[in-house]
Amino acid sequence: MILLGVNIDHVATLRNARGGADPDPLLAAQLALLGGASSITVHLREDRRHIRDRDVELMKEKLGAPLNLEMSIDYEIAEFALRIAPDQATLVPERREEVTTEAGIDVIRNLKRIAPISEKLREKGIRAVLFVDPDPAQLHACLKTSSRAVELHTGAYARAVNEPERRKELDRLVKAALFCAENGLALHAGHGLSYHNLFGILSLPGLREVNIGHAIVARALFTGLERAVREMRELLDLAATHEFIERRRSFTEEGARKER
Ligand code: PXP
């Protein structure tokens, strides 16, 4: 079964717009779990523009489900993560001007910061995941850290405007997925995934987890959050069907033939 991490940052954005307590991110997280989320993802940004320290503390204390903290490699944030000890920490790049996480983290350039942080997380029993672009050089660099999981940035695939472009981006993701499988890296994927573009991603060999926020919270305005999560969960479950397993196999074999 592919795990579904639901990112509820946008609920906190809406709460902060009026400075009060509603809508409550903790309640949103509980409804997402009722709808079939496997874990809850929150991004504690350095500028605290949506999720705040107290939100993360409450989630850790009250949720009773796996918590995935998206975090930059800033020292203050790393210390916070080590204190709170979420089940999983996904290391992401962060720029204050960006609207959302635009690219994967540059593991090559930041190896001296990333390696000790992922080691400290590991020692604390926190699963460290590196959010990277599907780029072979970046994936090789991941092997120089103690992290044994990556989340592939699916933004370029999600933004593709035509079929050849979408296929090209999917090919990059499949090659990256095969690299992960060959090198013992657990495979997660996320960013820009929606009810419409999820299918291609389901064909990634070895996919363990997807993290989805915007599409689910946007649909929740019309259907309610629990149902929006359930509908995404149902799409993921199609990946376990016979047709999908066959399709994934032929896709991978076709990719391998092209490589030769
Ligand atoms: N994964 C990571 C590492 C992210 O930074 C984000 C955005 O916060 C997501 C997944 C979810 O992206 P989206 O909101 O586009 O589904």
Side-chain angles (χ1 to χ4, degrees), residues 5 7 9-10 41-43 45 50 68 70 90-93 100-103 131 151-154 189-194 210-216:
N7 181 315
D9 294 347
H10 294 293
T41 296
V42 289
H43 184 173
R45 294 187 76 99
H50 37 59
N68 173 29
E70 288 177 4
T90 304
L91 303 192
V92 300
T100 180
T101 318
E102 287 162 356
F131 182 54
E151 178 173 331
L152 294 178
H153 195 311
T154 51
H191 213 282
L193 295 180
S194 72
V210 289
N211 278 294
I212 307 181
H214 188 265
I216 291 177

Side-chain angles (χ1 to χ4, degrees), residues 55-99:
D55 293 321
V56 187
E57 286 166 358
L58 282 172
M59 304 264 168
K60 170 72 189 182
E61 206 179 300
K62 308 229 182 256
L63 216 50
L67 179 64
N68 173 29
L69 179 67
E70 288 177 4
M71 55 176 274
S72 73
I73 49 173
D74 173 79
Y75 287 119
E76 184 236 333
I77 298 281
E79 264 173 37
F80 176 83
L82 290 167
R83 178 168 68 78
I84 297 294
D87 304 80
Q88 183 167 290
T90 304
L91 303 192
V92 300
E94 208 171 294
R95 289 195 313 117
R96 281 184 188 238
E97 323 78 80
E98 71 190 359
V99 175

